[in-house]
Every structure is written in structure tokens, then in C-alpha cells.
Amino acid sequence: MVAPRLPPLYVLIGLSVLTLILYFRSSVSSNIPSFSINRQTPANSTLGFGGLFVVSGPGSPRRNNLIQSANVTELHFTIPTLPTWTEEQIKAFRGKDDKSTITNGSVRAWLSHNLVLNEFLKSGLETALILEDDVDWDIRLRTQQVPLAATAARALLPPAGEEYYWGHPDDWELFYVGHCGDYFTTMDEPVGVGVVHPNNLTELPHVVYPDQTLPRRTDLHPFTSSLLTAFDVPEKSRIVHRSVSPLCTFGYAVTRASARRLVEEYAPISGNRGNIDHAYDVAILTACRDKGLRCFTVNPELMHHMEGESLISNLDNKKWRPPVDKAGLKQTYWRGETSNIGCGFWSRDFSWDGDKDKLNHLREEVGRKGQCLKKDRLPNGDRVGESVLRASK
Ligand SMILES: *[C@@H]1O[C@H](CO)[C@@H](O)[C@H](O)[C@H]1NC(C)=O
Ligand SMILES: *[C@@H]1O[C@H](CO)[C@@H](O)[C@H](O)[C@H]1NC(C)=O
Ligand SMILES: *[C@@H]1O[C@H](CO)[C@@H](O)[C@H](O)[C@H]1NC(C)=O
Ligand SMILES: *[C@@H]1O[C@H](CO)[C@@H](O)[C@H](O)[C@H]1NC(C)=O
């Protein structure tokens, strides 16, 4: 679908990617030092971007949890104050003679993302990761996952100076770090095995790399699991690839140039002609897929939105859910974890609610050492009994 649009670099990238795939694949079993976990230096408190900007509506009930989790992982968030969007602002977005099918909720989300992108542009920073306030992540995000993903990203992009943690901002426009799937197909079709093939991946610029923090294949969201199997990617490995069909905007990184293009060109809030039939994330997907925005996906994602508000409150909620959430729901509850997250914050095991001593303990043991201190879990996040089961096979 997305033909790589980099003619002069294509051969070069193709060759280096091939080398890297072989290199990284072999490192799955042989643990090549440069990719071994112990040697990774943690990413800094903004995950190697200029800033982490959060989209969080006024009085959002999710913000407190988000901040508590960020304190444990030691992330530095910027949370711009968002207004309560008025009827006039919603009408202005919809434009004259409105026949749009977009919901008011989606209009508000669009306006909010737009405001946060503008706050980033005002900040003078060079890059930013834009996050929604209900995202979950693994306790090893900063110590292992981001260092690995950024190393893979830099391997995919032209060489750049050390100061460019994710590659030079002239060489990329958008990094999907958090999403609800880049399945190479849309939700109108089935996903994974039987639909896509290894060649659909190999014909794209991509890097496959080992990441021991990724849940086992059987514990991944069923769509993700099927996709990775269809691509013949080894267990406990992720891919960084040119985006094909990324869904949801849980966490996406932008540069100054691409943020400007988003607010002015690809997802503007004014000049709409009353016929918007898609949400914000689809506007970005379309820009990546059809309009030449240079987007990359970390697959499986490092951030995924949390189910409901707590483990209990949504158990019996029969309300409509997007297809990806619906397919992952039962697994989410029996794992006690957000889809595709190994050891995350959804279960509230790592909440500290004002107890600074507890926070300090969690920072050291969970945040820095990456120990999954949850009931019935081993420090690496595996379930107690699971490893025994595997060993006896
Ligand atoms: C984190 O690293 C990035 C890339 O080197 C840098 O731009 C950013 O300022 C750093 N953040 C902090 C808080 O030091
Ligand atoms: C937790 O994070 C918030 C937001 O970044 C910050 O304002 C606050 O000082 C942090 N709390 C502690 C105890 O570090
Ligand atoms: C959406 O917002 C507009 C403008 O505020 C309002 O007129 C309309 O009734 C709202 N639609 C729904 C379905 O709430
Ligand atoms: C995957 O590859 C097959 C075989 O080459 C092709 O027919 C199909 O269109 C590709 N699918 C996608 C989603 O790129």
C-alpha cells in the first residue's frame, strides 16, 4: 500500500534494513551485547523527545492516575490547560451547511489535539510526543522499551548526531508510539493471518528487534498476535516500520514541521466545509497513507489506552466499544493488564495516593529496576506457574 517514497535512499535503506534484520534476528537467541537489556541506558524523562504533551480535558477524572504513574516512571509531562469547548466553537469547526457525521465528542477531541499541538509549537521545542490522558504503559518503558525502539528507529533513518535520540527531525514527521493497531488493513477487513503475508512487511522499510518486555504471543491482543504471526516475526520482538494503516492517536510524536502541517494542512479546525465524516485519528492516518506524511509505527505499540476507569467499574458495561477494544476485552480482564502491555498501571498496584514513601519505593523497585511487584507475578512480569508450565513442556 504505502510505497516507500525515498527513491535515492531506497537501495541504501533496503540493504541496511536487510543487514539489520539478520543482525537483530540472530540476537534473539545470542543476546548481542549492544542490544542486551542490561546495557541499555534509560531514556531521559521526556523519552528522548523535546517534551511530553498530554491532551487532558478540563476536570478529567483520568489525570490523577496518569500523573501518579508518570511519577513512578519518572516522566516529565506538560499538561496544557484545555477549555470547555463551547457550542460556537463546535459549530465553527463543523462549518456552514453542516452535514458532517462526526460526533460532538470527536469534534472536542480534535479541537483539543489542535490546541496541544499549538502549545508545543509555542514552546520552541524541536519535537514532542502527544499523549492522551488515558494511556497505560509498561514499567520498563523508560529503562528498556524506548531505548530499544529509538535504536531501531535510528537504524532505519539516515545517520544523525547523538543529540537526535529518535533520528534527525528532518527525516521523520510522525512516530506512532501509542496506537490501537497498525494492522496494514482497515477495520472493515479481518486482521492478520490469511490477510497479510511476510512480504507485506519485507517490502516496507522496517526493523525487527528483540524486546523481552513484550508479552508472549498468546498474551498479546488477538489482532496483534495474528499480525505478528502472519509476518513470521519471532516471539518477544517488535517492529519499527513505515506506517501503513495506524489507528488511534494514543501517543504520536511530531516535529515542529509536522505539527505545523497537521494544524494547517492535514487536520485543520477551520475551513472545514461541513462534510467531516471521520475523527482526528483518521485524518492523520489518511495523511500518512495517502498524502505523503512520513510516518513510522512501533508495532506492537508501547502505549495503549486503558479500559474503563478501574478493573471493576466496567466489568458489566455493555456499552458499544470500538472493534479493537471489543476483541481484546476478555483478555484484558483475565490478564489484569491493558492490551499489549506486559506490566502496566491499570491494575492500580503502583498507585501511591500521596504516600511519598511508597512513591520512593515504587520509583526505585518498579520504575528503575523494572520489577513487576504484583500479586502472583514474577519480577519480569510472567505469571507465577507460567514459567514452570513452559519449562516442563
Ligand atoms: C531528552 O532528550 C532529548 C533528545 O536528546 C532532548 O531534546 C530533551 O531536551 C531531553 N529532555 C530532558 C528533560 O533533558
Ligand atoms: C508528580 O508529577 C507531577 C506532574 O509532572 C509533578 O507536578 C509532581 O511534583 C510530581 N510529584 C512528585 C511527588 O514528584
Ligand atoms: C452538537 O453540538 C451542536 C453545537 O453545540 C448542537 O447544536 C448539537 O445539538 C449537538 N449534537 C449532539 C448530538 O449533541
Ligand atoms: C500483501 O501482499 C499480497 C501479496 O503480494 C498483496 O496481494 C496484498 O495486497 C498485500 N496487502 C497489503 C495490505 O499490502
Side-chain angles (χ1 to χ4, degrees):
M1 289 176 88
V2 166
R5 219 162 287 99
L6 307 162
L9 290 173
Y10 184 68
V11 174
L12 202 87
I13 288 176
L15 281 174
S16 53
V17 163
L18 194 73
T19 316
L20 283 159
I21 294 162
L22 295 172
Y23 173 78
F24 292 149
R25 281 198 172 200
S26 65
S27 70
V28 174
S29 49
S30 59
N31 244 334
I32 288 175
S34 68
F35 250 78
S36 98
I37 283 155
N38 298 336
R39 297 241 189 144
Q40 291 294 338
T41 309
N44 69 16
S45 63
T46 51
L47 301 176
F49 298 108
L52 305 176
F53 284 70
V54 182
V55 181
S56 183
S60 167
R62 311 184 288 216
R63 199 180 313 149
N64 178 37
N65 279 329
L66 181 88
I67 291 172
Q68 287 196 38
S69 311
N71 288 138
V72 173
T73 311
E74 298 179 275
L75 298 177
H76 181 80
F77 282 171
T78 305
I79 311 183
T81 305
L82 295 180
T84 303
W85 298 107
T86 63
E87 210 166 293
E88 285 68 39
Q89 286 167 313
I90 293 176
K91 278 190 182 145
F93 174 93
R94 289 175 171 281
K96 280 208 162 61
D97 306 319
D98 180 44
K99 292 186 190 61
S100 304
T101 53
I102 184 171
T103 64
N104 283 351
S106 290
V107 173
R108 285 190 204 98
W110 194 313
L111 293 169
S112 301
H113 274 271
N114 179 276
L115 186 147
V116 171
L117 285 174
N118 277 309
E119 287 298 312
F120 155 57
L121 287 169
K122 274 189 228 159
S123 74
L125 295 168
E126 224 174 335
T127 60
L129 179 63
I130 314 292
L131 302 167
E132 295 182 354
D133 75 351
D134 58 349
V135 291
D136 197 3
W137 59 83
D138 188 281
I139 56 172
R140 296 148 297 188
L141 177 74
R142 197 181 150 180
T143 50
Q144 298 180 38
Q145 295 182 341
V146 164
L148 291 169
T151 302
R154 284 197 309 272
L156 203 50
L157 297 172
E162 287 271 316
E163 67 274 32
Y164 300 112
Y165 196 79
W166 288 87
H168 196 285
D170 287 349
D171 296 322
W172 60 272
E173 292 183 288
L174 207 127
F175 262 110
Y176 273 94
V177 177
H179 52 83
C180 50
D182 187 336
Y183 301 118
F184 286 49
T185 48
T186 62
M187 282 293 104
D188 313 330
E189 302 156 81
V191 171
V193 174
V195 182
V196 292
H197 314 275
N199 69 286
N200 296 123
L201 177 64
T202 49
E203 67 199 11
L204 280 185
H206 75 285
V207 169
V208 175
Y209 65 96
D211 181 341
Q212 298 304 323
T213 68
L214 187 69
R216 299 163 64 201
R217 187 69 49 86
T218 52
D219 279 8
L220 290 173
H221 186 286
F223 294 174
T224 308
S225 175
S226 186
L227 182 80
L228 296 177
T229 299
F231 287 156
D232 203 13
V233 169
E235 281 263 350
K236 304 243 173 200
S237 301
R238 291 185 207 270
I239 319 165
V240 172
H241 61 80
R242 197 56 199 254
S243 301
V244 180
S245 204
L247 297 165
C248 309
T249 43
F250 302 151
Y252 59 100
V254 290
T255 66
R256 297 190 66 72
S258 65
R260 203 166 286 117
R261 293 181 82 182
L262 289 182
V263 299
E264 288 173 5
E265 198 179 331
Y266 297 124
I269 56 165
S270 59
N272 292 326
R273 270 159 285 145
N275 57 359
I276 300 279
D277 62 354
H278 55 264
Y280 180 74
D281 68 325
V282 176
I284 300 195
L285 183 161
T286 310
C288 296
R289 192 186 56 193
D290 307 329
K291 298 180 182 171
L293 196 68
R294 288 167 299 154
C295 309
F296 295 86
T297 302
V298 182
N299 212 347
E301 66 279 11
L302 305 180
M303 290 170 163
H304 193 105
H305 78 165
M306 294 192 200
E307 165 62 23
E309 279 307 312
S310 76
L311 271 172
I312 306 119
S313 69
N314 259 10
L315 251 177
D316 295 313
N317 198 333
K318 302 254 182 336
K319 72 175 188 214
W320 183 87
R321 288 167 203 281
V324 179
D325 288 359
K326 196 167 168 229
L329 193 62
K330 280 190 181 154
Q331 184 192 47
T332 298
Y333 281 102
W334 72 251
R335 287 183 65 229
E337 295 285 356
T338 301
S339 290
N340 293 340
I341 303 295
C343 182
F345 292 87
W346 182 56
S347 62
R348 303 237 179 139
D349 285 289
F350 309 136
S351 297
W352 49 277
D353 297 316
D355 181 344
K356 291 259 170 74
D357 289 339
K358 188 172 180 197
L359 171 62
N360 286 332
H361 175 74
L362 290 169
R363 270 188 182 158
E364 186 56 31
E365 302 302 322
V366 176
R368 295 179 198 148
K369 292 188 191 153
Q371 305 197 75
C372 188
L373 302 183
K374 297 190 184 185
K375 194 170 169 286
D376 297 332
R377 303 281 286 272
L378 299 175
N380 74 356
D382 279 356
R383 267 160 201 78
V384 173
E386 207 170 59
S387 326
V388 182
L389 208 74
R390 238 179 305 167
S392 65
K393 267 190 186 164

